[in-house]
Amino acid sequence: MYCCMKCGMPFDGNGYLCPMCQNEEDRKYEAEFQLHVPEYIDEAGIPDGYRYWRGTNLSTVEKGPIVEHAAEWIWQHRKDNLLISGKTGMGKSTSACYAAMRLIAAHKVVRYVKLQRLMCEWSEARTSDSAFGEQEFFGRFRKLDYLILDEAVGKVKDTESRREMMIELLDEIASGELKMRLWILGNFRPGSIDALFGEENRDPSLRRIEENFVCAGITDTEVEVFHVWPQTEKTSN
Ligand SMILES: [Zn+2]
């Protein structure tokens, strides 16, 4: 028999607080956490433009997502690695960020970053004086529950260095070394995946994506799942 450190009541079980006081503490902690959620959203790198309805200070979390079918689909698939394709304006980024904000409110650690920005960090890591620059770079991902990699197609120059980074990222996701979920967003076209991972790595890359990701295309009316590796040939390879 223990006595509660707070109210002094005897109670069965472990810990310092009786169930009632523990409940109260948990509620207080959660209320305090929720007050800080806007800061955590900032720290996650979610751009303001994806947080509010245009020209207002109404957050999408309060008012609802800007593109409902896309946001709903992503939320339903939030436990998966995702590759999301769609033209500009279809709501890839706002929908992924909407899900991200809800995940942050549910205590998940998220980072949103554009591929171009991540490439800068990768270059810095590789040219730094530290012998462990590359490990440190990937080490940052170990603290995350989610990495949202936006603008993965176009804009960024196709370089050997980028392919190496993307392959390493895909490897660590596929092997389970990285526990986070990776959401890759872009306007994928034929050849886009080759550009990201390298033509010479096409088969293993596509297979890893097929096995570890849900791929979907967003249009203005629907979200359609697609496959990057032929399903029927899976066993013959
Ligand atoms: Zn108590």
Side-chain angles (χ1 to χ4, degrees):
M1 194 65 94
Y2 296 85
C3 287
C4 176
M5 298 285 281
K6 209 171 153 196
C7 68
M9 288 279 286
F11 68 102
D12 291 324
N14 296 316
Y16 299 107
L17 300 176
C18 71
M20 251 168 66
C21 290
Q22 187 60 55
N23 245 325
E24 200 186 310
E25 282 302 302
D26 291 349
R27 266 207 313 275
K28 262 199 258 172
Y29 172 82
E30 182 59 21
E32 181 71 20
F33 179 89
Q34 291 303 322
L35 285 179
H36 290 281
V37 163
E39 282 163 47
Y40 303 147
I41 289 173
D42 272 342
E43 285 164 15
I46 311 278
D48 275 356
Y50 300 155
R51 296 171 61 173
Y52 302 101
W53 280 75
R54 192 188 295 269
T56 73
N57 57 5
L58 270 176
S59 92
T60 57
V61 174
E62 289 158 35
K63 194 174 182 260
I66 294 166
V67 182
E68 208 159 326
H69 65 286
E72 182 59 32
W73 188 91
I74 292 175
W75 182 251
Q76 277 172 12
H77 292 81
R78 66 189 177 279
K79 290 182 179 157
D80 292 311
N81 295 304
L82 302 175
L83 186 145
I84 298 173
S85 180
K87 293 185 192 136
T88 306
M90 290 297 117
K92 298 185 297 292
S93 304
T94 56
S95 302
C97 286
Y98 171 78
M101 289 188 285
R102 291 180 64 183
L103 287 164
I104 292 167
H107 300 245
K108 299 293 183 195
V109 182
V110 179
R111 182 169 183 214
Y112 169 94
V113 67
K114 292 181 172 142
L115 179 56
Q116 195 158 18
R117 166 81 208 152
L118 195 61
M119 277 310 302
C120 291
E121 292 175 19
W122 173 237
S123 304
E124 278 168 25
R126 300 187 98 192
T127 52
S128 78
D129 294 333
S130 165
F132 306 104
E134 292 184 18
Q135 275 142 284
E136 281 165 14
F137 175 85
F138 284 101
R140 290 174 214 164
F141 300 140
R142 290 179 216 292
K143 302 183 189 103
L144 298 179
D145 297 306
Y146 286 87
L147 177 65
I148 303 173
L149 193 51
D150 203 359
E151 296 185 3
V153 176
K155 284 190 188 174
V156 187
K157 225 170 53 189
D158 175 21
T159 61
E160 181 72 34
S161 165
R162 185 184 72 177
R163 291 199 288 274
E164 279 172 26
M165 184 197 73
M166 288 305 297
I167 289 209
E168 181 63 27
L169 200 52
L170 189 57
D171 268 358
E172 294 204 10
I173 295 277
S175 69
E177 270 174 90
L178 279 175
K179 305 281 183 226
M180 67 175 190
R181 295 288 172 267
L182 174 61
W183 294 354
I184 305 176
L185 317 180
N187 184 8
F188 284 86
R189 292 175 293 260
S192 296
I193 289 178
D194 279 356
L196 258 188
F197 298 99
E199 203 179 328
E200 67 280 14
N201 304 305
R202 179 186 294 156
D203 282 8
S205 302
L206 291 181
R207 226 178 303 182
R208 281 198 182 115
I209 291 171
E210 185 66 44
E211 286 167 4
N212 296 284
F213 286 72
V214 178
C215 303
I218 296 179
T219 69
D220 52 3
T221 54
E222 59 184 1
V223 181
E224 202 176 335
V225 170
F226 63 88
H227 295 279
V228 295
W229 186 259
Q231 293 293 284
T232 46
E233 290 173 24
K234 231 178 186 174
T235 47
S236 65
N237 277 282

